[in-house]
């Protein structure tokens, strides 16, 4: 537990934010004194007062801004062609034609602007419902709070997978590493400690600070916030930059199609003008007729139709609990051919429940439960877990844990080696009342059993039986450590297996129907999970998803260049690392299909970036939500199926207009152009052509 120094009592004015570089060179007591705070954090009243004075911890909200929306409407090549034609008509004296073209231009821009702005407002409302939260100490008690409520002086917990919400001076660390490439450009995670650095140390070398916008890649820690919002280093940079989103495949295709129409219109304009001049038609009439033919070929309302379809689609998707970060991503959502998804919470309930604790012989035994509670990363307040990974939370909040509280009181935790996705384990160094020190390690059975000196056959049989039943299992082992005061990964050897902790995560009732819907939509579903292969195969079999061959991370490494062949015959990939997931997604994309990835953990971020469409959920880790293109407000494959159907409907409606409008316009204009070669007069006046197209498109 943290020791209270000061409680941040109210003062006439809020403490000024410290620069993170300055705070890094100061001792922890000096930093806390400068912020009028303490290791117990601020009181709720003081935090609220500072929030009113300093404002929310936000760099930029997702706001609907009219001018950028209008600018996007005016960038269309087709609208530029209309504007050029209107100007040409005006300067040659054909004011009526200029007015008609102007009406077309205003109608297209106006419809597009109104619909996209409405969609932006809807997205603004939806973004406000997606929150990042963290554990903050208020008066010495941990509580979950929205990151926008954080103020300088708050003491927060940093956990694996979180995006650091503000500039933080670290107070304690346990194997903490942060990925800081967003600020420093370094791809290797930076190791962190609580020791002050020399004055003048550069931002990239502030080992005692965690910076806003960086990601906790390993370990955990606590720290005091020194700057928030636009005062943070990342905040200052972000406020000076404009957001630029890369084009999607649909946008690229639409732009290329528009440019093709403009090029065709240009060629036709020149050709028809030259032919009519050769036929001794009046030059002005020939010019206006050729321009009218060129404009008449293109579907003038294409930008407005696309904006209208996407805006309507975004409202429909919002009703179906799907948030698309950018409207244009709706089209990509409808193009999905292969969906890679995790298992927990998608195919299963995701509400882990602790079932039993068994000893080395497979019989009931409370000792592994007691050891598991000591080796636990859950953040606890009033004997209730308010943060941490789901397995630790389920263990701590289980009814069986209540009877172990007295046994835990006689132990003190001296050091922690946090969980990471390579070791797949967590270790702690504890000391009992008698002064005996012990290393307790808890983790995935396959890896942990390899580090044990001896594993009874009964333990392996019990483990296989639990896996065959589809249960999730965590192994617990110990080793005496009489002379140690710290632990590293090298200490996880010659362990003695103490038993197993068994958890239940039953299949989701709606999963079978959702899988059937996706199959009818032509989407192939494949599972990527860090769980045991037998457990994953059992869950898929219960849901009617043919497992085919079950491949592991070792199989992926061994496949090498033949990974494509392994993908073709495999539905379930188990015990895979984050790098394995991204590699699988990239290899599947090389086959020429559109790939989506659904994940919610820090280990899913790389694969979310690698997919054509990254999909996450509202309850995901911060880094997963930030990496995703689409957010589901409910982790259910039925919600995703609704989104795919809506995306396909919008795409179909857009393409219907493009094909119908373009083919009809081409036929009409080629007929008019051809007739002009044989008639002594123009078959249609420019104003008639343009008015006809406007009425037809509307």
């Amino acid at each position: 537990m943290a020791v209270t120094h000061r409680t941040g009592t109210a003062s006439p004015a809020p403490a000024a934010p410290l620069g993170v570089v300055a705070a890094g060179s100061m001792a922890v007591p000096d930093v806390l004194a400068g912020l009028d705070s303490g290791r117990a954090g601020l009181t709720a009243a003081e935090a609220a007062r500072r929030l009113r004075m300093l404002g929310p911890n936000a760099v930029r909200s997702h706001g609907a801004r009219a001018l950028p929306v209008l600018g996007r409407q005016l960038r269309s090549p087709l609208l530029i062609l209309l504007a050029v034609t209107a100007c040409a008509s005006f300067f040659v004296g054909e004011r009526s034609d200029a007015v008609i073209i102007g009406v077309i231009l205003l109608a297209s821009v106006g419809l597009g602007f109104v619909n996209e702005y409405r969609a932006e407002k809807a997205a603004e409302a939806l973004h406000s419902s997606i929150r990042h939260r963290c554990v903050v100490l208020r008066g010495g008690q941990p509580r979950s709070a929205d990151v926008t409520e954080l103020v300088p002086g708050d003491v927060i917990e940093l956990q694996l997978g979180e995006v650091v919400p503000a500039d933080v001076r670290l107070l304690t660390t346990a194997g903490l590493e942060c990925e800081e490439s967003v600020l420093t450009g370094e791809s290797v995670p930076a190791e962190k400690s609580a020791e002050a650095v020399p004055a003048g140390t550069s931002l990239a070398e502030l080992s005692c600070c965690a910076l806003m916008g960086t990601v906790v890649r390993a370990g955990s820690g606590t720290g005091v916030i020194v700057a928030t919002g636009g005062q943070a280093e990342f905040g200052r940079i972000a406020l000076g930059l404009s957001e630029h989103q890369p084009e999607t495949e649909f946008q690229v295709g639409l732009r290329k199609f528009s440019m093709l129409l403009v090029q065709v219109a240009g060629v036709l304009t020149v050709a028809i003008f030259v032919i009519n001049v050769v036929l001794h038609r009046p030059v002005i009439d020939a010019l206006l007729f050729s321009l009218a033919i060129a404009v008449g070929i293109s579907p003038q309302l294409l930008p407005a139709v696309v904006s209208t379809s996407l805006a309507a689609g975004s409202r429909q998707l919002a009703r179906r609990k799907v948030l698309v970060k950018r409207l244009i991503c709706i089209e990509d959502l409808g193009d999905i051919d292969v969906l890679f998804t995790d298992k927990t919470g998608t195919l299963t309930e995701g509400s882990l429940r602790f079932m039993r604790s068994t000893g080395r012989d497979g019989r009931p035994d409370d000792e592994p439960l007691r050891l598991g509670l000591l080796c636990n990363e859950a953040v606890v307040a009033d004997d209730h877990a308010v943060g941490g990974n789901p397995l630790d939370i389920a263990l701590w909040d289980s009814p069986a844990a209540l009877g172990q509280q007295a046994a835990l009181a006689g132990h003190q935790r001296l050091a922690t080696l946090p969980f990471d996705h390579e070791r797949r384990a967590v270790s702690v160094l504890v000391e009992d009342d008698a002064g005996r020190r012990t290393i307790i390690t808890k983790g995935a059975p396959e890896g942990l059993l390899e580090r044990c000196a001896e594993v009874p056959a009964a333990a392996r049989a019990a483990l296989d039986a639990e896996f065959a039943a589809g249960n999730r299992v965590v192994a617990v082992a110990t080793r005496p450590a009489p002379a140690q005061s710290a632990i590293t990964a090298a200490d996880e050897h010659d362990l003695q297996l103490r038993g197993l902790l068994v958890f239940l995560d039953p299949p989701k009732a709606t999963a079978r129907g959702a899988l059937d819907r996706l199959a009818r939509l032509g989407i192939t579903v494949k599972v990527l999970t860090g769980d045991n292969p037998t457990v994953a195969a059992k869950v898929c079999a219960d849901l009617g998803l043919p497992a085919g061959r079950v491949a592991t991370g070792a199989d992926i490494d061994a496949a090498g260049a033949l990974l494509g062949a392994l993908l073709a015959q495999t539905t379930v990939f188990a015990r895979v690392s984050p790098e394995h997931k991204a590699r699988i997604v990239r290899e599947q994309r090389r086959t020429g299909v559109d790939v989506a990835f659904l994940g919610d953990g820090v280990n899913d971020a790389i694969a979310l970036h690698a997919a054509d469409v990254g999909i996450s959920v509202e309850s995901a880790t911060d880094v997963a939500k930030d990496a995703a293109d689409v957010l589901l407000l409910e982790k259910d494959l039925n919600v995703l199926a609704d989104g795919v159907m809506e995306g396909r409907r919008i795409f179909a409606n857009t393409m219907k207009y493009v094909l119908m409008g373009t083919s009809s316009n081409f036929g009409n204009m080629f007929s008019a152009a051809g007739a002009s070669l044989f008639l002594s007069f123009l078959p249609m006046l420019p104003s008639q052509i343009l008015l006809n197209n406007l009425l037809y498109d509307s």
Side-chain angles (χ1 to χ4, degrees):
M1 283 293 183
V3 179
T4 302
H5 285 187
R6 303 173 67 177
T7 58
T9 55
S11 55
L18 288 175
V20 69
V21 175
S25 63
M26 298 168 61
V28 167
D30 295 334
V31 174
L32 294 173
L35 293 167
D36 194 22
S37 183
R39 290 182 179 268
L42 304 172
T43 63
E46 173 63 10
R49 191 182 69 84
R50 296 189 185 191
L51 183 63
R52 289 193 300 270
M53 297 292 293
L54 298 174
N57 176 34
V59 177
R60 180 190 292 117
S61 62
H62 184 93
R65 293 172 291 173
L67 288 180
V69 173
L70 182 60
R72 287 195 292 270
Q73 304 304 313
L74 298 177
R75 285 201 299 264
S76 168
L78 296 178
L79 295 181
I80 294 173
L81 177 61
L82 283 174
V84 171
T85 305
C87 291
S89 300
F90 181 83
F91 284 112
V92 298
E94 296 295 330
R95 305 295 172 84
S96 60
D97 291 343
V99 170
I100 292 174
I101 299 174
V103 169
I104 296 174
L105 185 63
L106 289 175
S108 183
V109 172
L111 284 173
F113 172 80
V114 169
N115 282 289
E116 186 167 348
Y117 187 72
R118 286 177 60 192
E120 287 282 321
K121 293 294 287 184
E124 179 183 349
L126 286 171
H127 272 271
S128 66
S129 68
I130 304 298
R131 298 289 188 180
H132 290 328
R133 304 188 70 82
C134 72
V135 176
V136 59
L137 295 182
R138 292 282 162 81
Q141 295 298 313
R143 50 163 288 196
S144 178
D146 193 293
V147 298
T148 60
E149 300 173 1
L150 300 178
V151 295
D154 268 331
V155 174
I156 62 171
E157 302 268 357
L158 297 176
Q159 300 290 338
L160 179 68
E162 290 182 347
V163 175
V164 180
D167 283 351
V168 176
R169 173 63 166 92
L170 296 171
L171 305 178
T172 64
T173 61
L176 181 64
E177 295 182 3
C178 292
E179 182 183 290
E180 299 181 336
S181 58
V182 67
L183 285 174
T184 66
E186 292 291 336
S187 59
V188 178
E191 296 182 0
K192 298 295 181 179
S193 72
E195 298 298 323
V197 298
T201 300
S202 67
L203 193 68
E205 297 175 344
L206 286 179
S207 59
C208 62
C209 297
L211 305 174
M212 173 191 274
T214 62
V215 179
V216 179
R217 282 299 183 188
S220 60
T222 62
V224 59
I225 292 177
V226 298
T228 59
Q231 297 295 320
E233 293 296 325
F234 179 83
R236 281 199 287 265
I237 296 172
L239 288 175
L241 298 175
S242 59
E243 288 188 62
H244 175 70
Q245 298 284 359
E247 285 187 317
T248 67
E249 289 299 319
F250 179 75
Q251 283 178 304
V252 171
L254 203 60
R255 178 172 50 79
K256 289 181 177 178
F257 176 73
S258 298
M259 286 304 301
L260 174 63
L261 291 178
V262 170
Q263 291 166 2
V264 171
V267 172
L268 283 177
T269 298
V270 174
I272 294 173
F273 176 72
V274 170
I275 292 173
N276 277 273
V277 170
V278 169
L279 295 176
H280 304 294
R281 304 280 168 74
V283 174
I284 297 301
D285 287 349
L287 175 62
L288 291 176
F289 182 70
S290 60
L291 286 173
I293 289 290
V295 174
I297 285 176
S298 60
Q300 293 93 356
L301 295 183
L302 178 59
V305 168
V306 172
S307 297
T308 301
S309 297
L310 294 178
S314 70
R315 292 191 292 272
Q316 290 294 328
L317 287 172
R319 297 189 188 101
R320 297 172 184 268
K321 301 181 180 180
V322 179
L323 169 59
V324 181
K325 287 186 175 179
R326 288 191 294 156
L327 288 181
I328 205 69
C329 290
I330 295 174
E331 308 286 358
D332 296 317
L333 186 61
D335 288 338
I336 295 173
D337 297 307
V338 177
L339 170 66
F340 288 103
T341 178
D342 59 355
K343 175 179 68 68
T344 304
T346 306
L347 302 181
T348 64
E349 291 290 347
S351 54
L352 291 167
R353 297 193 293 275
F354 175 68
M355 295 177 62
R356 53 183 168 270
S357 172
T358 66
R360 289 158 48 95
D361 56 2
R363 297 178 181 177
D365 187 347
D366 285 341
E367 184 185 35
L369 171 60
R370 178 177 59 82
L371 294 172
L373 291 171
L374 288 170
C375 183
N376 193 294
E377 293 186 288
V379 179
V380 180
D382 298 326
D383 294 328
H384 178 71
V386 296
N389 70 69
L391 283 169
D392 282 344
I393 292 175
L395 185 65
W396 190 268
D397 287 343
S398 65
L402 296 176
Q404 299 294 322
Q405 300 302 317
L408 300 180
H411 295 78
Q412 180 182 5
R413 186 184 303 182
L414 304 179
T416 301
L417 184 63
F419 176 90
D420 66 53
H421 294 286
E422 298 299 324
R423 295 166 35 251
R424 305 185 65 81
V426 57
S427 293
V428 297
L429 176 65
V430 298
E431 184 178 66
D432 62 16
D433 287 340
R436 292 186 296 265
R437 297 188 177 186
T438 304
I439 292 177
I440 306 172
T441 302
K442 180 182 69 177
E446 296 92 334
L448 191 58
L449 265 55
E450 293 178 356
R451 302 171 203 167
C452 292
E454 179 186 359
V455 181
R460 294 191 182 276
L463 181 62
D464 291 340
E466 297 292 357
F467 282 153
N471 297 325
R472 297 189 67 173
V473 183
V474 173
V476 182
T478 63
R479 182 172 72 81
Q484 290 187 222
S485 58
I487 51 175
T488 66
D491 295 319
E492 296 175 339
H493 65 86
D494 295 327
L495 300 170
Q496 180 182 6
L497 180 67
R498 308 305 291 267
L500 306 174
L501 302 174
V502 183
F503 298 82
L504 176 65
D505 187 14
K508 187 175 289 187
T510 60
R512 179 185 287 270
L515 290 172
D516 290 341
R517 284 186 65 191
L518 291 172
R520 290 194 297 271
L521 290 170
I523 297 175
T524 302
V525 178
K526 298 189 177 186
V527 178
L528 300 180
T529 179
D531 208 346
N532 177 268
T534 305
V535 174
K538 175 68 164 56
V539 171
C540 290
D542 290 344
L543 295 175
L545 183 66
R549 176 181 174 181
V550 179
T552 64
D555 295 328
I556 296 168
D557 291 332
L562 300 178
L563 180 57
L566 180 64
L567 279 174
Q569 54 184 304
T570 306
T571 302
V572 177
F573 296 86
R575 289 300 189 215
V576 289
S577 68
E579 289 74 19
H580 287 143
K581 293 181 180 182
R583 185 181 169 193
I584 290 169
V585 169
R586 294 190 190 103
E587 186 64 32
Q588 188 70 70
R589 289 185 65 186
R590 290 192 188 101
T591 64
V593 298
D594 290 301
V595 178
F597 179 82
L598 171 59
D600 62 357
V602 62
N603 57 327
D604 295 323
I606 304 176
L608 286 166
H609 277 297
D612 291 299
V613 184
I615 305 170
S616 193
V617 294
E618 191 273 339
S619 59
T621 60
D622 294 350
V623 67
K625 286 192 284 191
D626 290 342
D629 303 305
V630 176
L631 289 178
L632 308 181
L633 301 184
E634 182 178 326
K635 194 172 185 181
D636 190 333
L637 289 179
N638 275 308
V639 175
L640 178 58
D642 291 340
V644 171
M645 292 179 64
E646 188 64 26
R648 292 185 178 181
R649 185 186 67 81
I650 295 166
F651 180 78
N653 287 343
T654 303
M655 293 310 298
K656 284 176 186 177
Y657 170 77
V658 170
L659 295 175
M660 176 272 297
T662 304
S663 61
S664 174
N665 289 357
F666 261 86
N668 291 340
M669 294 307 101
F670 273 116
S671 298
S676 70
L677 300 178
F678 304 101
L679 299 175
S680 59
F681 56 89
L682 296 178
M684 292 182 70
L685 295 174
S687 57
Q688 292 174 323
I689 293 174
L690 297 173
L691 185 58
N692 178 71
N693 280 357
L694 175 61
L695 295 174
Y696 184 75
D697 286 346
S698 300

